[in-house]
Amino acid sequence: MNSGRGELEQPPMVGRFVDGVGRFYADDQHEGRPVRCRFIWSGITATTARWEQAFSVDGERTWETNWIMESTRASTD
């Protein structure tokens, strides 16, 4: 979010959940070169979730995963 312009500067993502796994894609640029972005949500339970981000610069033939987050709900005890 750019607070100065009031704009969300992320490219739109398109995707859906199938059999408990969400796959979402977006087109972006890095240093003027087109990059395809992929975001995967998996391992979703009442207390956990996994999210990963990957980029492709070759038309989705290969992907470079560069960020993985594994979340666990904190106990309320």
Side-chain angles (χ1 to χ4, degrees), residues 10-11 13 22-30 34-41 50-69:
Q10 297 292 327
M13 291 183 283
R23 295 180 190 277
F24 300 88
Y25 299 88
D27 293 309
D28 204 348
Q29 288 191 11
H30 178 69
V35 177
R36 185 74 165 156
C37 306
R38 179 182 71 190
F39 309 94
I40 299 176
W41 284 96
R50 177 185 170 99
W51 176 88
E52 60 184 77
Q53 171 183 277
F55 295 154
S56 176
V57 294
D58 60 8
E60 299 186 28
R61 288 186 293 278
T62 61
W63 291 95
E64 179 182 340
T65 300
N66 59 21
W67 191 357
I68 296 173
M69 292 189 299

